[in-house]
Amino acid sequence: MNMRPRFPTQPTARRRQHGPSPRRRMIVVVAVLSLASLGLVARAFDLQVVRKEFYQSQGDARFLREVPIAVSRGTIFDRNGEPLAVSTPVMSIWANPSEVLESEDRLPQLAKAIGMDTGELKQYLMQRSEREFVYLRRQMRPDAAQAVLDLGIPGVNGQREYRRYYPSGEVTSHILGFTNIDDHGQEGLELAFDDWLAGKPGAKRVIRDRMGHIVEDVEQVRAPQPGRNLTLSIDRRIQFLAYNELKNTLEQSQADSGSMVIIDVTTGEVLAMVNLPTYNPNALRSSTPSQRRNRSMTDVVEPGSTIKPVVMAAALSSGKYTPNGPLVDTGNGHFYYMTHDIRDTHAYGMLSPTGVIQKSSNIGAAKIAMTLDTSLLYDTYRAFGLGSSTNSGFPGEASGYLKVGRDWRPLEKAIMAYGYGLNVTALQLANVYATIGDGGLMHEPSFVKGAAGDSKQIIAPEIARKLVTMLESTTQPGGTAAPYAWIANYAVAGKTGTAHKASGGSYLKNNYSAAFAGIVPASNPRMAAVVVIDDPKKGSYYGGLVSAPVFAKVMDGALRLLDVPPDNIGRWYVGGPLQGNNGLVGSKPPDAPVVEDAPVEGATP
């Protein structure tokens, strides 16, 4: 009998010894799940606590936006409350380029709605595809913009804005200036008072959907502050009068340009300022830099004989002269001084200082100036603001030019007495006459109603009154402005000026600047005005014939608009005062004689 020991085979023993254990499997599963849960908890803790702000900001960046709240710019009014510049609501269309390009088949529809070529629009968007915000069309009419939004093109949105509108158009353009597409002032008073008018846009947080549409307002971040209104010293009615008369004169005389400035004598407030050529600020793209230039403030001219009252102010202040004497010998109309021929249009012979003003004698003015101390004459010019800004606050205002007195040569001193060798702006010249009209009290010109600037007494009141009387002789028979500066029932004090234009170091023979400066009413001055016509080519070129009629017509209307009482009722000068109502009162005799001042000829001093 073969007896063999029984032993289990090795594989069977191993399977029994190392086989899977349900308990162990359970432990493994629980451990894995526990680790996974712990990881999830840790991740949740990281997201919700540790890096909460980061992920919150990332989410907000995709759906929460801070958008501006547009504010309207302040309205600009004239002194009577008539609007000169207002802000109107408009809508700008903007887009997210990448979203719009995803709907490329809608591009033709969008391009047509905003007035662009389809290819041009596609190229514009592709070049800016990395941006999230680009403008497609600025400042559309609200109804036209809404029609674009109603197309429902993904990524296309609207933003409310404001656009400036100027009801008076080109009539007040040089005073007001204009704003750019972002509604910031660029020129004129829009620029000077930009901080006052602009206001401060507000801001709010909103939630946008993936199409960019606002679905909820979250909070207001910053309250909007609308711009503040501004009331100017300008009287729109007088502005229109000045514009129409100046325009008519430029057309008739075929002049290159013209300016008129009117100032309230007692306050220094500018009542009107007109320049031609002009432009329409509502259609700015069609204008040129030359049309947009405010010539009354930025262009300078040699004043010619309109400067003679300043010389007379120095003469009267010196004590050497009175309005009636001593007499000045103007000879035969030619005075040769240092090889220079100083000329008058006529041989006036012996003239009083008043006669020098009335006849506008260049010889008389030069001879009087030569007897005065240079320092006195220079200080008087400076006191009247020549060679310095008027401090009106208007952007780009020119200072003019006045050579320092210690550097004057004798010939320069004589020539400056009748308006050559120095230059002024129309505003400066108007302020000179306003100062004379207000008893020698000079005000800083202002464009804001009730915002009078500094004032100072520069000549004695009695001297100023004498100057007004002397200037009144210019508009009386035999004066250079009679009868064209006459205003029915009002006494006018003024001065004509005709000057050759300078070019390239010499004076042009046939090109002139014609000016008239005046004060009304002469007995109790209320307004001063200056009219400058540049290079009239048709008809006369004299200030008394070209500029004085503009002054008379505009101021005639202005006096009545402001209800200024007449001071010259019952008389009209035709060879002397006429008493009573004889048919000439209130009408201008068409054949009244005119004697004009002569422009100087020759080389630049």
Side-chain angles (χ1 to χ4, degrees):
M1 183 174 184
N2 186 14
M3 301 295 291
R4 294 182 180 178
R6 292 186 177 181
F7 297 101
T9 61
Q10 190 66 25
T12 302
R14 287 178 180 174
R15 282 197 298 270
R16 289 178 180 175
Q17 183 178 357
H18 300 289
S21 169
R23 184 175 180 179
R24 287 182 178 180
R25 285 200 299 267
M26 183 62 69
I27 292 173
V28 171
V29 171
V30 170
V32 172
L33 292 176
S34 297
L35 289 174
S37 300
L38 184 61
L40 291 174
V41 171
R43 181 59 175 166
F45 181 81
D46 178 61
L47 294 176
Q48 298 294 326
V49 179
V50 178
R51 293 199 285 177
K52 176 182 178 181
E53 293 183 0
F54 171 76
Y55 287 107
Q56 184 69 48
S57 65
Q58 291 297 304
D60 290 346
R62 288 162 174 77
F63 299 101
L64 192 63
R65 293 285 191 274
E66 184 175 300
V67 297
I69 303 175
V71 295
S72 62
R73 192 173 175 86
T75 301
I76 300 178
F77 298 97
D78 85 333
R79 66 183 305 108
N80 300 311
E82 294 293 333
L84 300 177
V86 297
S87 290
T88 58
V90 291
M91 185 76 74
S92 290
I93 300 299
W94 65 274
N96 184 327
S98 60
E99 292 186 30
V100 177
L101 289 171
E102 290 177 2
S103 305
E104 188 173 342
D105 59 318
R106 305 289 302 276
L107 288 182
Q109 193 178 12
L110 175 60
K112 182 180 179 180
I114 62 175
M116 289 182 67
D117 177 75
T118 302
E120 180 184 359
L121 175 60
K122 182 178 179 180
Q123 182 180 8
Y124 176 82
L125 294 172
M126 291 180 66
Q127 291 174 345
R128 296 160 179 79
S129 59
E130 295 182 358
R131 303 182 189 179
E132 294 185 356
F133 182 100
V134 294
Y135 281 114
L136 297 181
R137 176 81 180 273
R138 297 292 299 274
Q139 297 186 349
M140 297 181 67
R141 295 195 322 271
D143 57 338
Q146 189 58 49
V148 176
L149 298 176
D150 289 343
L151 296 175
I153 300 174
V156 177
N157 304 276
Q159 176 178 299
R160 185 176 184 180
E161 294 180 322
Y162 289 89
R163 181 180 179 180
R164 211 61 163 159
Y165 174 68
Y166 302 94
S168 300
E170 60 186 20
V171 177
T172 55
S173 58
H174 290 114
I175 299 173
L176 301 178
F178 54 87
T179 60
N180 62 11
I181 198 167
D182 294 316
D183 217 20
H184 295 303
Q186 298 298 292
E187 287 189 15
L189 297 182
E190 290 277 27
L191 174 59
F193 292 93
D194 189 54
D195 290 341
W196 178 274
L197 294 165
K200 295 181 179 179
K204 63 180 180 179
R205 286 194 179 93
V206 300
I207 295 177
R208 295 185 185 273
D209 61 17
R210 68 182 186 87
M211 304 298 292
H213 302 138
I214 296 176
V215 296
E216 182 182 352
D217 288 347
V218 177
E219 62 177 337
Q220 181 173 282
V221 178
R222 184 175 60 255
Q225 298 180 18
R228 291 170 287 186
N229 296 335
L230 181 66
T231 300
L232 302 184
S233 59
I234 300 299
D235 190 314
R236 191 176 69 164
R237 303 168 301 174
I238 300 176
Q239 184 80 9
F240 269 98
L241 282 175
Y243 171 81
N244 288 331
E245 291 301 331
L246 196 64
K247 184 178 181 180
N248 291 338
T249 298
L250 258 64
E251 291 175 352
Q252 294 169 6
S253 65
Q254 297 180 3
D256 289 345
S257 62
S259 299
M260 184 172 189
V261 179
I262 304 173
I263 295 181
D264 187 309
V265 164
T266 60
T267 64
E269 294 181 355
V270 179
L271 299 176
M273 177 179 284
V274 175
N275 301 279
L276 288 170
T278 185
Y279 68 101
N280 185 352
N282 299 309
L284 195 60
R285 292 183 179 180
S286 62
S287 65
T288 65
S290 176
Q291 293 172 328
R292 296 194 296 267
R293 196 166 72 240
N294 187 339
R295 301 171 189 273
S296 298
M297 307 290 295
T298 63
D299 287 17
V300 293
V301 296
E302 289 182 300
S305 295
T306 58
I307 207 65
K308 290 174 182 174
V310 178
V311 178
M312 292 303 168
L316 297 179
S317 298
S318 71
K320 295 181 179 181
Y321 294 89
T322 69
N324 298 320
L327 300 181
V328 181
D329 186 5
T330 64
N332 63 359
H334 289 269
F335 173 51
Y336 293 94
Y337 181 65
M338 300 183 70
T339 71
H340 191 83
D341 182 15
I342 300 176
R343 299 186 302 110
D344 289 337
T345 54
H346 296 76
Y348 295 123
M350 304 299 292
L351 290 176
S352 67
T354 297
V356 170
I357 291 292
Q358 182 184 36
K359 301 298 184 182
S360 195
S361 170
N362 293 335
I363 297 173
K367 285 190 171 183
I368 289 175
M370 291 162 58
T371 66
L372 302 177
D373 291 339
T374 298
S375 60
L376 172 63
L377 199 54
Y378 174 73
D379 290 343
T380 304
Y381 284 151
R382 291 290 296 177
F384 274 99
L386 304 184
S388 59
S389 169
T390 65
N391 294 323
S392 68
F394 199 94
E397 179 183 358
S399 298
Y401 172 74
L402 177 66
K403 190 175 182 178
V404 177
R406 64 174 177 270
D407 297 331
W408 290 1
R409 293 173 293 173
L411 181 59
E412 288 177 319
K413 183 177 178 180
I415 289 175
M416 280 193 285
Y418 51 92
Y420 287 86
L422 72 164
N423 53 48
V424 299
T425 66
L427 178 64
Q428 284 177 318
L429 191 58
N431 205 36
V432 167
Y433 280 76
T435 300
I436 295 172
D438 199 25
L441 185 64
M442 173 172 277
H443 304 277
E444 289 183 348
S446 171
F447 289 89
V448 179
K449 183 180 180 180
D454 295 336
S455 58
K456 58 182 177 180
Q457 193 76 38
I458 63 168
I459 58 173
E462 57 270 19
I463 291 178
R465 285 193 292 270
K466 291 176 182 178
L467 287 173
V468 172
T469 302
M470 294 169 72
L471 289 168
E472 192 176 357
S473 70
T474 303
T475 65
Q476 294 176 1
T480 57
Y484 298 99
W486 290 354
I487 300 176
N489 301 321
Y490 290 91
V492 178
K495 186 69 193 75
T496 56
T498 308
H500 281 278
K501 294 184 63 176
S503 176
S506 62
Y507 288 99
L508 301 173
K509 186 176 181 180
N510 298 312
N511 302 87
Y512 304 90
S513 174
F516 182 84
I519 305 164
V520 288
S523 64
N524 185 21
R526 174 70 184 277
M527 288 179 285
V530 166
V531 179
V532 179
I533 306 296
D534 180 40
D535 200 12
K537 300 178 182 64
K538 183 179 180 180
S540 177
Y541 54 81
Y542 288 121
L545 297 176
V546 180
S547 300
V550 179
F551 172 92
K553 292 175 183 178
V554 175
M555 302 312 286
D556 187 12
L559 288 165
R560 286 160 175 75
L561 285 172
L562 298 182
D563 200 23
V564 178
D567 67 337
N568 196 29
I569 296 178
R571 63 194 182 102
W572 195 266
Y573 290 103
V574 182
L578 299 176
Q579 304 298 326
N581 187 348
N582 56 9
L584 290 177
V585 176
S587 62
K588 296 180 182 179
D591 56 350
V594 175
V595 181
E596 184 50 82
D597 54 319
V600 72
E601 295 183 0
T604 302

